[in-house]
Amino acid sequence: SFLSPKVEGKAKGKLQKQVCGVVLEHFEEQYTAELGDAWSRVRSVVLTSPSCWQHALLLNRFSPCPELEQSLAGQGYQPAFPAALPYLPAALKCFLRRIPGRFPGQRHQAGRLKDYYLLNAASLLPVLALQVKDGEAVLDVCAAPGGKAVAILQCAWPGRFHCNEYDDLRSRWLEQTMESFIPEPLINLVMVSQLDGRHIGDLKPELYDKVLVDAPCSNDRSWLFSSDPHQATLRLLQRKELSCLQFQLLRSAIKALRPGGSLVYSTCTLSRAENSDVINLILNSCSNIIPVDISEMAKAVSQEFTFFGGMQQHELLVLPEKGRAWGPMYVAKLKKI
């Protein structure tokens, strides 16, 4: 059921050709300064070698398929998360294996639920950090393509679930993901909107118990394979503006959060300017926000993920490594008092 070596070789060759020199040079300079020795491991082993990339399968509890679980076990897949996690709902089932290789995706078919969602296993960490419980009002500010929203619904039944995506094309993608994974009665509890995330807090003040801000960021993996050098150069120029957008999204999300509620911020970049710097700016400028310790969660999943050392207790940074090619993924948790 996996790609034949021939097809995989072809895909690998195609991607290999596209490593963008402009982006690599930029990353080389920035990440050598920020990550030190860790950067050379991340770069040479994983980021520039798509053949090392791994994919996890998040099973869909609304379309249970016992044969799939058996088949995965036979192919060397194992459950992703240990029971020692501070928050791990029984319904959340994710399988991964150490060997690279892509599991075949399922096509969208109207009226038919998919059995699983393919994803980078690290992208479940923001969801586990958010700890959504049944009945809570939840907001996902930048929800497309919908993987984290699907994961939240594997964990709990929110009383209200607001998924927002400003971009028109990505919003349609989000709606399709929801149709593919969430059954009819439950999908009616999910509100999909196309609001500018920077204004959600003013429009929906103090309405939510839990908020996820999976922010637009300089996605290290996809940027490295920009086939158009002009577009890559433009992206790198605009990169400085991203932290400003991320800060505005976070500030808006905080306004939308009820006192006592918590918020998780995540990105898929290694960039300090878009990660710790944004969170520090929020902590310094919002007196009603405190950091939440997520080091227990990090400790519990350290078998499967490699974390960058020297982070604060309220944040973590997943570094992709060979055999554990998950990430990059930055996660930080905050609470409104």
Side-chain angles (χ1 to χ4, degrees):
S1 58
F2 284 90
L3 293 175
S4 70
K6 202 167 160 187
V7 176
E8 204 157 84
K10 228 188 224 170
K12 180 173 137 190
K14 192 174 153 200
L15 279 165
Q16 290 296 72
K17 274 187 220 123
Q18 291 179 1
V19 171
C20 181
V22 183
V23 178
L24 188 57
E25 208 173 297
H26 179 88
F27 283 0
E28 194 70 45
E29 194 178 326
Q30 181 183 348
Y31 294 148
T32 301
E34 291 181 12
L35 305 171
D37 293 344
W39 165 242
S40 57
R41 289 198 304 278
V42 169
R43 181 206 59 218
S44 57
V45 178
V46 182
L47 279 186
T48 54
S49 311
S51 56
C52 288
W53 295 3
Q54 292 159 275
H55 297 84
L57 283 88
L58 175 66
L59 302 196
N60 188 7
R61 68 160 159 166
F62 307 113
S63 175
C65 184
E67 314 84 77
L68 175 61
E69 287 196 44
Q70 288 162 4
S71 152
L72 288 172
Q75 293 175 54
Y77 279 83
Q78 292 168 328
F81 299 106
L85 265 169
Y87 169 84
L88 186 69
L92 182 83
K93 290 186 176 177
C94 179
F95 287 83
L96 48 80
R97 63 177 195 168
R98 291 284 170 99
I99 311 156
R102 183 160 190 147
F103 204 79
Q106 291 178 303
R107 271 211 291 274
H108 172 72
Q109 288 175 283
R112 183 155 179 213
L113 293 182
K114 292 185 182 184
D115 302 319
Y116 56 87
Y117 189 95
L118 287 173
L119 78 179
N120 183 319
S123 61
L124 289 177
L125 295 177
V127 173
L128 291 171
L130 198 58
Q131 301 192 338
V132 175
K133 296 180 178 64
D134 290 350
E136 289 182 324
V138 182
L139 167 64
D140 186 350
V141 178
C142 314
K148 292 180 181 69
V150 165
I152 285 169
L153 290 167
Q154 304 303 314
C155 294
W157 300 76
R160 261 183 314 147
F161 192 19
H162 179 179
C163 293
N164 182 69
E165 178 53 53
Y166 184 50
D167 182 85
D168 192 45
L169 197 67
R170 287 174 64 82
S171 183
R172 289 204 291 276
W173 188 4
L174 169 66
E175 286 189 343
Q176 195 178 79
T177 301
M178 287 304 189
E179 280 167 31
S180 291
F181 286 91
I182 313 304
E184 202 46 72
L186 185 60
I187 211 163
N188 299 332
L189 296 176
V190 181
M191 178 182 121
V192 176
S193 68
Q194 266 185 273
L195 302 167
D196 183 333
R198 293 170 293 188
H199 306 314
I200 278 187
D202 293 324
L203 297 167
K204 313 264 180 191
E206 302 199 342
L207 273 188
Y208 303 97
D209 303 297
K210 301 278 164 76
V211 179
L212 174 65
V213 182
D214 184 42
C217 66
S218 50
N219 182 323
D220 295 347
R221 283 191 191 226
S222 68
W223 279 30
L224 264 172
F225 295 95
S226 307
S227 48
D228 178 356
H230 297 296
Q231 186 202 29
T233 308
L234 195 64
R235 275 175 166 174
L236 292 171
L237 286 171
Q238 291 168 339
R239 197 177 195 201
K240 293 180 182 71
E241 292 159 29
L242 277 168
S243 53
C244 180
L245 169 66
Q246 291 154 347
F247 177 77
Q248 290 171 328
L249 287 169
L250 260 177
R251 213 169 39 184
S252 172
I254 287 163
K255 285 182 186 172
L257 196 60
R258 284 186 182 140
S262 49
L263 175 150
V264 167
Y265 173 77
S266 59
T267 73
C268 49
T269 180
L270 297 164
S271 174
R272 189 185 296 159
E274 297 174 52
N275 295 339
S276 303
D277 289 358
V278 173
I279 292 296
N280 290 337
L281 196 56
I282 280 288
L283 288 170
N284 291 332
S285 59
C286 300
S287 56
N288 59 344
I289 290 298
I290 56 167
V292 178
D293 187 347
I294 53 171
S295 58
E296 281 303 308
M297 178 183 86
K299 211 178 293 169
V301 296
S302 58
Q303 285 299 304
E304 291 302 347
F305 300 95
T306 302
F307 296 108
F308 182 58
M311 304 297 279
Q312 304 285 314
Q313 288 187 312
H314 60 274
E315 58 179 359
L316 55 87
L317 179 64
V318 180
L319 299 179
E321 287 207 332
K322 195 169 187 180
R324 303 200 281 191
W326 315 114
M329 179 61 58
Y330 174 79
V331 183
K333 187 169 184 178
L334 308 170
K335 184 177 177 171
K336 188 174 188 174
I337 48 175

